[in-house]
Amino acid sequence: MKTAITEMFGIEHPIIQGGMHYVGFAELAAAVSNAGGLGIITGLTQKTPELLAKEIARCHDMTDKPFGVNLTFLPSFTAPPYPEYIAAIREGGIKIVETAGRSPEQYMPALKAGGIKVIHKCTSVRHSLKAEQIGCDAVSVDGFECGGHPGEDDMPNMILLPRAAEELKIPFVASGGMADARSLVAALALGAAGMNMGTRFIATKEAPVHGNVKKALVAASELDTRLVMRALRNTERVLKNKGVDRLIEIEREKGASLKIADIHEEVAGVYPKVMIDGEMDAGAWSCGMVAGLIRDVPTVKELIDRIMADAERLIRDRLTGFLDADSKAALKVA
Ligand SMILES: Cc1cc2nc3c(=O)[nH]c(=O)nc-3n(C[C@H](O)[C@H](O)[C@H](O)COP(=O)(O)O)c2cc1C
């Protein structure tokens, strides 16, 4: 399949693996890129720019295909040394960066000087337009369904994607709630040039996380995520667990006066406990509603091949079938 995104990034299939804290290591990024998608290493999971440089080198050892690095610009007072992270990215020969969080405006000159294509992930049309205006090459439009930070507008992708298509000149991928061929074909119909998946890629053989995390995703339904930290305007969609129940109880008690310190135990340092130790009740970790569509733990290649083969069937048989008066395929329910 050829789209503006496959051409821009030099990849075979229009499928991107979004940056994920304590999941987006070289093993997963390389597996996605080797399967013809775009794998992404999560920059800030590497505690120093030197460690990121090593992770990039490890990924180069595992794939000759293009892969990217995610740089999340956090709303924090003690900002990580972003210029040094960008230097590690440039010196590592990376040509694609997924930015997220705050606007990457301040860092665009350094990224562009390195010949890097920037895809900014954001949750609204206005932030997408801002990304276009500051010179981003593409946008990852992240709907309310998404795992992680859906923003504060609560705009689901059925509205957000066609609105983005109406306004943007640069290409965009659909992010949030994407799981399979149906997601991809729907995203293309709504104006996107591909899709970005987070949660779905965690339930793959190569995702370097504890088996309990994969089991929890297969077991979860679409009703099992919760929104936390709304009062802090830092809303996050997470998988429900005992730690999250505690967090929600504290949020209920504190109301609008909630401070980050009140929920420190339920949000700080949770990722290594969940992803490495498999402590599923440790606290808040990002997870999308799409968990309700995850039923197996395939290899990344099996997942991507299945998506592309099913997408072709969906388009050729089901969709064109609607236009063909004699077609039986089009009358099938799904
Ligand atoms: C466990 C997990 C950790 C994530 N960590 C980050 C992160 O560090 N930076 C970032 O930009 N996005 C992060 N995301 C968001 C994903 O890149 C992606 O945008 C999101 O998962 C898409 O929604 P989906 O989960 O419905 O596919 C994370 C998502 C998950 C599930």
Side-chain angles (χ1 to χ4, degrees):
M1 189 181 282
K2 193 169 162 178
T3 74
I5 286 293
T6 59
E7 300 313 285
M8 179 178 288
F9 295 141
I11 53 178
E12 197 183 340
H13 308 305
I15 300 176
I16 300 177
Q17 165 249 315
M20 287 181 280
H21 200 35
Y22 277 90
V23 182
F25 292 98
E27 286 79 6
L28 181 60
V32 174
S33 290
N34 282 332
L38 181 69
I40 293 187
I41 291 174
T42 315
L44 296 187
T45 299
Q46 303 301 323
K47 291 210 164 53
T48 64
E50 294 71 33
L51 288 172
L52 176 59
K54 285 194 184 138
E55 195 66 8
I56 291 171
R58 241 166 42 82
C59 201
H60 279 305
D61 285 343
M62 291 184 237
T63 184
D64 294 329
K65 303 271 176 67
F67 63 92
V69 172
N70 167 285
L71 264 188
T72 303
F73 296 111
L74 301 166
S76 78
F77 295 108
T78 50
Y82 288 113
E84 284 85 344
Y85 275 98
I86 292 172
I89 288 168
R90 285 174 54 168
E91 283 155 26
I94 295 294
K95 294 294 171 202
I96 303 164
V97 165
E98 177 197 54
T99 54
R102 290 174 154 199
S103 167
E105 185 166 11
Q106 185 185 347
Y107 302 102
M108 286 302 285
L111 291 166
K112 284 285 141 196
I116 289 169
K117 295 237 180 312
V118 178
I119 178 164
H120 184 56
K121 187 164 56 198
C122 49
T123 58
S124 69
V125 174
R126 64 187 184 286
H127 291 140
S128 302
L129 282 171
K130 173 78 181 169
E132 179 177 277
Q133 185 209 324
I134 64 172
C136 291
D137 300 275
V139 188
S140 200
V141 175
D142 215 14
F144 184 51
E145 306 90 330
C146 73
H149 294 272
E152 309 304 323
D153 290 346
D154 301 356
M155 193 56 64
N157 268 334
M158 283 301 278
I159 309 297
L160 187 56
L161 297 174
R163 281 289 298 122
E166 285 177 1
E167 305 268 348
L168 286 172
K169 291 186 196 68
I170 54 174
F172 65 95
V173 295
S175 179
M178 304 285 131
D180 53 30
R182 296 169 299 183
S183 324
L184 176 59
V185 174
L188 296 173
L190 292 169
M195 68 175 176
N196 178 62
M197 300 196 296
T199 304
R200 172 66 264 202
F201 275 122
I202 305 176
T204 58
K205 293 227 160 59
E206 293 90 338
V209 302
H210 198 285
N212 288 355
V213 181
K214 302 179 191 187
K215 275 193 208 132
L217 288 176
V218 172
S221 89
E222 64 277 21
L223 301 174
D224 291 334
T225 70
R226 295 290 179 272
L227 294 174
V228 297
M229 293 192 284
R230 181 122 266 192
L232 301 174
R233 290 190 64 76
N234 185 31
T235 301
E236 183 178 0
R237 186 179 296 286
V238 301
L239 190 68
K240 180 179 153 50
N241 61 48
K242 289 201 182 90
V244 168
D245 289 343
R246 257 192 336 266
L247 197 168
I248 290 171
E249 196 46 47
I250 298 169
E251 289 189 331
R252 228 177 254 135
E253 279 165 22
K254 299 277 174 183
S257 70
L258 182 79
K259 305 269 178 307
I260 186 77
D262 299 327
I263 52 170
H264 189 265
E265 203 175 309
E266 286 75 25
V267 298
V270 169
Y271 275 82
K273 286 187 203 153
V274 172
M275 299 299 177
I276 298 171
D277 305 330
E279 283 179 39
M280 299 314 296
D281 285 317
W285 63 277
S286 297
C287 176
M289 289 172 154
V290 76
L293 296 173
I294 297 176
R295 322 237 184 279
D296 60 359
V297 183
T299 67
V300 166
K301 182 164 166 41
E302 283 162 357
L303 176 65
I304 290 183
D305 285 351
R306 180 166 82 197
I307 292 172
M308 295 315 298
D310 289 352
E312 185 165 345
R313 263 195 300 277
L314 257 180
I315 295 168
R316 287 196 199 284
D317 298 346
R318 182 167 164 82
L319 298 188
T320 58
F322 287 125
L323 303 174
D324 174 0
D326 300 329
S327 166
K328 297 242 180 352
L331 297 178
K332 281 208 287 194
V333 174

